[in-house]
Amino acid sequence: MDFKLTEEQQMIRDTIRDFAENEVKPGVAERDKNSEFPYELLKKLGEMGFLGVLVPEEYGGSNLDNLSYAIIIEELARVDPALAVTVSVHNSVACYPIVVWGTEEQKKKYLPKMASGEWIGAFSLTEPQAGSDAANQKTKAIKKGNKYILNGTKAWCTNGPVAEVLVVVAQTDPSKGAKGISAFIVEKNFKGIKAGKVEDKMGLRASKTSEIILEDCEVPEENLLGGEGMGYKVALTVLGSSRISIGAQALGIAQGAFEEAVKYSKVREAFSQPICNFQAISFMIADMATKIEAARNLVYYAAYKKDEGKEKIAKYSSMAKMYASDIANEVVAKAVQIHGGYGYSKEYPVERFFRDARVTTIYEGTNEIQRIVIARELMREE
């Protein structure tokens, strides 16, 4: 399928690419080195309308299509994957569940501040024992009067330490299993919530990831999201959609590493000629380019199917996330190889891309889980 971009989509790509090259790129290595969260960049992205991408205009958002959103994440990840995942999580799993499942009062209260970037959002589902087995929630939410009291510990919460508002999933009726799980909108100033251990990660170091500790956390009943027992459905719906943005992030990483490899291969000489002249290198570059293009078509097609809205997208989003992240890891490995010893040095961006790419096969559902999702969806079609 030919994904010819509209004039608006091309303008969005040009705008975000210009921002990434001129505003993001100059400090990316330093932010990675110091694990420095990009507050100022997020403020600017909010002013540009890129923190409310999927939010309707009536709530202060940009209300863009999913293909435009994928392009935004791809272009940010091409330069700074840590910033890209921060933006992705905020849009896909913090704003979007409120857009889809929120009451009118919840939308009016939270979405304008989140879309402007005044409030950064997070999504808290994973627990120490509930990663791929997301239904195995131990965090409890007990109704007391006009409040829910939440107790438990969440793990691997991206944006957790910096978020003003979190969508938190907890058990309201353990006897019902997945159907006894509910979702809540929790503000960081609510009594009983705090960020725990901040993870010292291999990659995406400028993105903040932490535990979320809930100790008799008091959540008003009006902050229940989607009704009691709907939490697991909220999570699956949101994750099924957000996997497109993770695919876009992986795609951007692959593209960024590829460009660095091509550039290096043209200036690095061996035996009196640029190494790009050697068949071993040129074939590597040809394979990288081909697989990136295939990944781009899968990611864009999943976004197109989401925009079309005519059928379930779980199969397409899982394919896009799985393939793009697998390819990203393959491409960055080859980019490091093309750089030789210099690829192992922090002096060159491919070292950072190599570290940043690894987690894309793990979060938002491991690629093993994606294969299960794809297979199940295919069996249902028979």
Side-chain angles (χ1 to χ4, degrees), residues 25 46 68 84 102 136 157 168 180 203 214 228 259 309 320 330 370-371:
K25 197 171 190 176
S68 293
N136 188 26
C157 182
V168 178
L214 303 153
E228 272 204 21
E259 290 172 5
E330 180 180 334
Q370 303 314 315
R371 287 172 169 85

Side-chain angles (χ1 to χ4, degrees), residues 2-19:
D2 181 19
F3 293 105
K4 185 174 182 179
L5 302 184
T6 65
E7 186 175 332
E8 181 184 13
Q9 288 167 338
Q10 187 59 57
M11 181 185 70
I12 289 168
R13 166 164 279 170
D14 292 343
T15 300
I16 195 65
R17 179 172 291 183
D18 180 73
F19 178 80

